[in-house]
Amino acid sequence: MKPSRFVLPALLALSAMPGLAQTAAAVPETEPKPEPEFAFTGNLGIFSDYRFRGISQTNKKPAIQGGVDFAHKSGWYLGNWNSNVDSALFNGANIEMDFYGGWKHSFGDFGVDLGALYYYYPGSDSRISNTELYIGGSWGPLSLKYSYAVSDFFSIDDSKGAYYLLLSGAHDFGNGFGVNASVGYQGGLKNGACYTEMNGQVACSVADFKLGGTYTIDGWVLGLAYVTTNRDITLGTAASSNRNISGGTALVSVSKTF
């Protein structure tokens, strides 16, 4: 709206009256709102592939993923996350449902995260599942997380004790641009949990690598990343065509948290 031509003279008159000027200046600023006791958030995304620790869970095809989170200001949280998966990889299940809970807290530039995560695959003929405990730490843009399977690793007999170590980092350049990278190592695999590579060799560990960039616009995050592992693995639907589901690929995504 165009300002009135009477505004400036009125302000000059006010400044000439000390009592009124002091009264106007003494009005306190609006106090910040108190931190809410708890918060609910949701997330939704479309990805060109679902890579779990570097290995495709969707036969290198797109995935729709989303979840909900509850967080209390004390640091306690609960959440659920879901994605479509290759049914041949999970004995009939075409959906992965993850349930997790824990506690996180920041100490200046340092942060800690403790929790448990349960992987559930409804409709799986053999009731595939996995339960892991995790502990994570962060310092500025860097994070380190250790996960330990307290159940048989994805229901494979006598495979309890598998672990995963993930080092990741991210940087925000401003103006919506950011980069992220990670290196992960899946170890502790044994018995049937080991992978048979396409060349016939048995691998009881897998290292995965990711390098990506993001651009955020109006809350939508556009992502492009390169993901790969040090193994050549074929499983599920891909096994019928001897297709490598752990090789390098470009991963494109669109996601939003609300």
Side-chain angles (χ1 to χ4, degrees), residues 91-132:
N91 295 340
N94 53 21
I95 296 177
E96 174 185 328
M97 303 179 71
D98 298 347
F99 301 91
Y100 51 87
W103 178 81
K104 62 174 59 176
H105 189 73
S106 296
F107 306 89
D109 292 334
F110 295 90
V112 63
D113 185 8
L114 307 170
L117 172 59
Y118 175 66
Y119 302 81
Y120 174 57
Y121 300 87
S124 173
D125 295 339
S126 57
R127 298 183 181 179
I128 294 178
S129 65
N130 184 43
T131 303
E132 294 181 339

Side-chain angles (χ1 to χ4, degrees), residues 161-244:
Y163 63 88
Y164 182 68
L165 186 64
L166 178 66
L167 174 65
S168 59
H171 180 73
D172 183 4
F173 289 107
N175 297 318
F177 292 95
V179 294
N180 55 82
S182 66
V183 178
Y185 180 80
Q186 177 69 68
L189 302 177
K190 54 186 177 180
N191 301 324
C194 293
Y195 293 101
T196 300
E197 295 192 75
M198 297 173 67
N199 59 9
Q201 295 184 353
V202 176
C204 293
S205 66
V206 181
D208 63 270
F209 312 89
K210 177 182 176 181
L211 177 62
T214 59
Y215 178 67
T216 304
I217 178 171
D218 294 331
W220 292 92
V221 180
L222 311 179
L224 175 62
Y226 179 77
V227 182
T228 190
T229 74
N230 65 335
R231 305 298 183 191
D232 295 318
I233 299 169
T234 182
L235 293 168
T237 301
S240 61
S241 59
N242 205 33
R243 188 182 191 189
N244 186 0

Side-chain angles (χ1 to χ4, degrees), residues 11 13 17 31 37 61 64-65 79 82 85 88 101 112 123 125 130 132 140 145 160 172 185 192 196 207 211 216:
L11 291 176
M17 304 172 66
E31 295 183 0
E37 290 289 324
K61 294 181 180 179
I64 298 177
Q65 303 174 345
N82 314 274
V85 294
V112 63
D125 295 339
N130 184 43
E132 294 181 339
K145 184 177 181 180
K160 176 181 176 181
D172 183 4
Y185 180 80
T196 300
L211 177 62
T216 304

